[in-house]
Short mmCIF file of all heavy atoms in Angstrom, two decimals:
data_model
loop_
_atom_site.label_atom_id
_atom_site.label_comp_id
_atom_site.label_asym_id
_atom_site.label_seq_id
_atom_site.Cartn_x
_atom_site.Cartn_y
_atom_site.Cartn_z
N ASN A 82 109.78 168.57 55.32
CA ASN A 82 109.84 169.88 54.66
C ASN A 82 109.87 170.95 55.81
O ASN A 82 108.87 171.61 56.12
CB ASN A 82 108.62 170.10 53.77
CG ASN A 82 108.64 171.46 53.07
OD1 ASN A 82 109.70 172.12 52.99
ND2 ASN A 82 107.48 171.89 52.55
N TRP A 83 111.03 171.12 56.38
CA TRP A 83 111.14 171.93 57.57
C TRP A 83 110.84 173.40 57.31
O TRP A 83 110.20 174.07 58.11
CB TRP A 83 112.50 171.79 58.19
CG TRP A 83 112.87 170.33 58.43
CD1 TRP A 83 113.85 169.61 57.77
CD2 TRP A 83 112.31 169.44 59.37
NE1 TRP A 83 113.87 168.32 58.22
CE2 TRP A 83 112.93 168.19 59.20
CE3 TRP A 83 111.29 169.57 60.30
CZ2 TRP A 83 112.61 167.10 60.00
CZ3 TRP A 83 110.97 168.47 61.08
CH2 TRP A 83 111.58 167.24 60.91
N ASN A 84 111.33 173.94 56.20
CA ASN A 84 111.02 175.31 55.86
C ASN A 84 109.54 175.50 55.66
O ASN A 84 108.95 176.55 56.02
CB ASN A 84 111.79 175.77 54.63
CG ASN A 84 113.27 175.96 54.88
OD1 ASN A 84 113.66 176.46 55.95
ND2 ASN A 84 114.13 175.54 53.97
N GLY A 85 108.87 174.49 55.08
CA GLY A 85 107.42 174.58 54.91
C GLY A 85 106.71 174.62 56.26
O GLY A 85 105.70 175.31 56.42
N ALA A 86 107.20 173.84 57.24
CA ALA A 86 106.57 173.88 58.56
C ALA A 86 106.73 175.24 59.22
O ALA A 86 105.79 175.73 59.80
CB ALA A 86 107.22 172.77 59.42
N VAL A 87 107.93 175.81 59.08
CA VAL A 87 108.13 177.13 59.66
C VAL A 87 107.24 178.17 58.99
O VAL A 87 106.61 178.99 59.63
CB VAL A 87 109.62 177.55 59.53
CG1 VAL A 87 109.84 179.00 59.92
CG2 VAL A 87 110.49 176.63 60.34
N ALA A 88 107.13 178.11 57.65
CA ALA A 88 106.27 179.04 56.94
C ALA A 88 104.80 178.88 57.35
O ALA A 88 104.11 179.90 57.47
CB ALA A 88 106.44 178.83 55.41
N ALA A 89 104.36 177.64 57.54
CA ALA A 89 102.95 177.41 57.93
C ALA A 89 102.65 178.10 59.29
O ALA A 89 101.58 178.70 59.46
CB ALA A 89 102.65 175.96 57.98
N LEU A 90 103.56 178.00 60.22
CA LEU A 90 103.34 178.55 61.55
C LEU A 90 103.52 180.03 61.61
O LEU A 90 102.98 180.73 62.48
CB LEU A 90 104.22 177.84 62.58
CG LEU A 90 103.95 176.35 62.79
CD1 LEU A 90 105.04 175.70 63.60
CD2 LEU A 90 102.58 176.15 63.48
N SER A 91 104.39 180.56 60.77
CA SER A 91 104.76 181.98 60.80
C SER A 91 103.81 182.86 59.96
O SER A 91 103.88 184.09 60.11
CB SER A 91 106.20 182.14 60.31
OG SER A 91 107.10 181.38 61.10
N ALA A 92 103.01 182.25 59.04
CA ALA A 92 102.18 183.05 58.19
C ALA A 92 101.23 183.89 58.97
O ALA A 92 100.51 183.38 59.89
CB ALA A 92 101.36 182.10 57.24
N GLY A 93 101.16 185.18 58.71
CA GLY A 93 100.22 186.06 59.38
C GLY A 93 100.68 186.47 60.76
O GLY A 93 99.96 187.14 61.49
N GLY A 94 101.87 186.04 61.20
CA GLY A 94 102.39 186.41 62.51
C GLY A 94 101.85 185.50 63.61
O GLY A 94 100.88 184.76 63.39
N LEU A 95 102.50 185.56 64.76
CA LEU A 95 102.12 184.72 65.87
C LEU A 95 101.91 185.61 67.10
O LEU A 95 102.68 186.51 67.39
CB LEU A 95 103.21 183.70 66.18
CG LEU A 95 103.23 182.39 65.43
CD1 LEU A 95 104.48 181.59 65.81
CD2 LEU A 95 102.02 181.57 65.76
N ASP A 96 100.86 185.26 67.84
CA ASP A 96 100.63 185.88 69.13
C ASP A 96 101.45 185.11 70.14
O ASP A 96 100.96 184.04 70.60
CB ASP A 96 99.13 185.91 69.47
CG ASP A 96 98.83 186.62 70.80
OD1 ASP A 96 99.79 186.84 71.55
OD2 ASP A 96 97.66 186.91 71.01
N THR A 97 102.57 185.64 70.54
CA THR A 97 103.50 184.83 71.37
C THR A 97 102.87 184.55 72.75
O THR A 97 103.23 183.58 73.41
CB THR A 97 104.84 185.55 71.56
OG1 THR A 97 104.58 186.88 72.08
CG2 THR A 97 105.53 185.72 70.22
N ALA A 98 101.96 185.38 73.16
CA ALA A 98 101.33 185.17 74.48
C ALA A 98 100.25 184.10 74.43
O ALA A 98 99.98 183.41 75.44
CB ALA A 98 100.71 186.46 75.01
N GLN A 99 99.63 183.91 73.26
CA GLN A 99 98.48 183.01 73.17
C GLN A 99 98.80 181.70 72.46
O GLN A 99 97.99 180.76 72.51
CB GLN A 99 97.31 183.72 72.41
CG GLN A 99 96.81 184.93 73.10
CD GLN A 99 96.21 184.62 74.48
OE1 GLN A 99 95.57 183.60 74.65
NE2 GLN A 99 96.45 185.49 75.45
N ALA A 100 99.93 181.65 71.74
CA ALA A 100 100.25 180.42 70.94
C ALA A 100 100.41 179.23 71.89
O ALA A 100 101.07 179.34 72.92
CB ALA A 100 101.53 180.63 70.15
N PRO A 101 99.83 178.09 71.55
CA PRO A 101 100.01 176.89 72.40
C PRO A 101 101.45 176.39 72.35
O PRO A 101 102.19 176.63 71.41
CB PRO A 101 99.05 175.88 71.77
CG PRO A 101 98.91 176.32 70.37
CD PRO A 101 98.98 177.81 70.38
N PRO A 102 101.89 175.67 73.40
CA PRO A 102 103.28 175.24 73.48
C PRO A 102 103.74 174.40 72.26
O PRO A 102 104.89 174.53 71.84
CB PRO A 102 103.33 174.37 74.74
CG PRO A 102 102.24 174.90 75.57
CD PRO A 102 101.15 175.32 74.63
N ARG A 103 102.84 173.65 71.66
CA ARG A 103 103.22 172.82 70.50
C ARG A 103 103.73 173.65 69.34
O ARG A 103 104.58 173.18 68.58
CB ARG A 103 102.08 171.89 70.03
CG ARG A 103 102.49 170.98 68.95
CD ARG A 103 101.59 169.82 68.76
NE ARG A 103 102.01 168.99 67.66
CZ ARG A 103 103.02 168.17 67.71
NH1 ARG A 103 103.71 168.01 68.83
NH2 ARG A 103 103.37 167.45 66.67
N VAL A 104 103.26 174.86 69.21
CA VAL A 104 103.75 175.77 68.13
C VAL A 104 105.25 175.96 68.32
O VAL A 104 106.03 175.86 67.35
CB VAL A 104 103.00 177.10 68.16
CG1 VAL A 104 103.75 178.12 67.29
CG2 VAL A 104 101.57 176.92 67.72
N TRP A 105 105.69 176.21 69.54
CA TRP A 105 107.15 176.49 69.79
C TRP A 105 107.93 175.20 69.59
O TRP A 105 109.06 175.26 69.10
CB TRP A 105 107.33 177.07 71.18
CG TRP A 105 106.49 178.28 71.42
CD1 TRP A 105 105.52 178.46 72.35
CD2 TRP A 105 106.56 179.49 70.66
NE1 TRP A 105 105.00 179.68 72.21
CE2 TRP A 105 105.59 180.38 71.19
CE3 TRP A 105 107.33 179.94 69.57
CZ2 TRP A 105 105.37 181.64 70.71
CZ3 TRP A 105 107.10 181.23 69.08
CH2 TRP A 105 106.14 182.05 69.64
N TYR A 106 107.37 174.06 69.98
CA TYR A 106 108.06 172.83 69.74
C TYR A 106 108.27 172.57 68.24
O TYR A 106 109.42 172.30 67.81
CB TYR A 106 107.24 171.66 70.34
CG TYR A 106 107.87 170.31 70.07
CD1 TYR A 106 108.95 169.84 70.81
CD2 TYR A 106 107.37 169.49 69.03
CE1 TYR A 106 109.52 168.61 70.56
CE2 TYR A 106 107.95 168.25 68.77
CZ TYR A 106 109.02 167.80 69.54
OH TYR A 106 109.57 166.61 69.30
N LEU A 107 107.20 172.68 67.47
CA LEU A 107 107.33 172.46 66.03
C LEU A 107 108.26 173.45 65.36
O LEU A 107 109.14 173.10 64.53
CB LEU A 107 105.92 172.52 65.35
CG LEU A 107 105.10 171.28 65.48
CD1 LEU A 107 103.68 171.56 64.95
CD2 LEU A 107 105.69 170.13 64.72
N LEU A 108 108.15 174.70 65.79
CA LEU A 108 109.05 175.76 65.23
C LEU A 108 110.54 175.44 65.58
O LEU A 108 111.41 175.55 64.73
CB LEU A 108 108.64 177.13 65.77
CG LEU A 108 107.57 177.86 65.01
CD1 LEU A 108 107.21 179.17 65.77
CD2 LEU A 108 108.01 178.19 63.57
N GLY A 109 110.75 175.06 66.83
CA GLY A 109 112.12 174.81 67.24
C GLY A 109 112.76 173.67 66.51
O GLY A 109 113.87 173.73 66.03
N ILE A 110 112.03 172.52 66.48
CA ILE A 110 112.56 171.37 65.75
C ILE A 110 112.77 171.64 64.27
O ILE A 110 113.77 171.26 63.67
CB ILE A 110 111.64 170.14 65.97
CG1 ILE A 110 111.64 169.72 67.44
CG2 ILE A 110 112.04 169.00 65.07
CD1 ILE A 110 112.97 169.26 67.97
N SER A 111 111.79 172.34 63.69
CA SER A 111 111.91 172.59 62.21
C SER A 111 112.98 173.59 61.91
O SER A 111 113.73 173.45 60.96
CB SER A 111 110.52 173.14 61.73
OG SER A 111 109.50 172.20 61.92
N ARG A 112 113.11 174.67 62.71
CA ARG A 112 114.19 175.61 62.48
C ARG A 112 115.57 175.00 62.68
O ARG A 112 116.49 175.30 61.93
CB ARG A 112 114.01 176.84 63.38
CG ARG A 112 112.94 177.82 62.89
CD ARG A 112 112.85 179.03 63.70
NE ARG A 112 112.01 180.06 63.06
CZ ARG A 112 111.13 180.81 63.67
NH1 ARG A 112 110.95 180.69 65.01
NH2 ARG A 112 110.41 181.69 63.02
N ALA A 113 115.67 174.13 63.69
CA ALA A 113 116.94 173.45 63.90
C ALA A 113 117.30 172.64 62.71
O ALA A 113 118.46 172.65 62.25
CB ALA A 113 116.86 172.59 65.14
#
Side-chain angles (χ1 to χ4, degrees):
N82 181 18
W83 307 112
N84 287 321
V87 173
L90 294 169
S91 303
L95 274 174
D96 184 344
T97 57
Q99 298 298 322
R103 183 162 179 76
V104 168
W105 304 119
Y106 175 80
L107 280 172
L108 275 174
I110 293 299
S111 299
R112 280 184 170 139

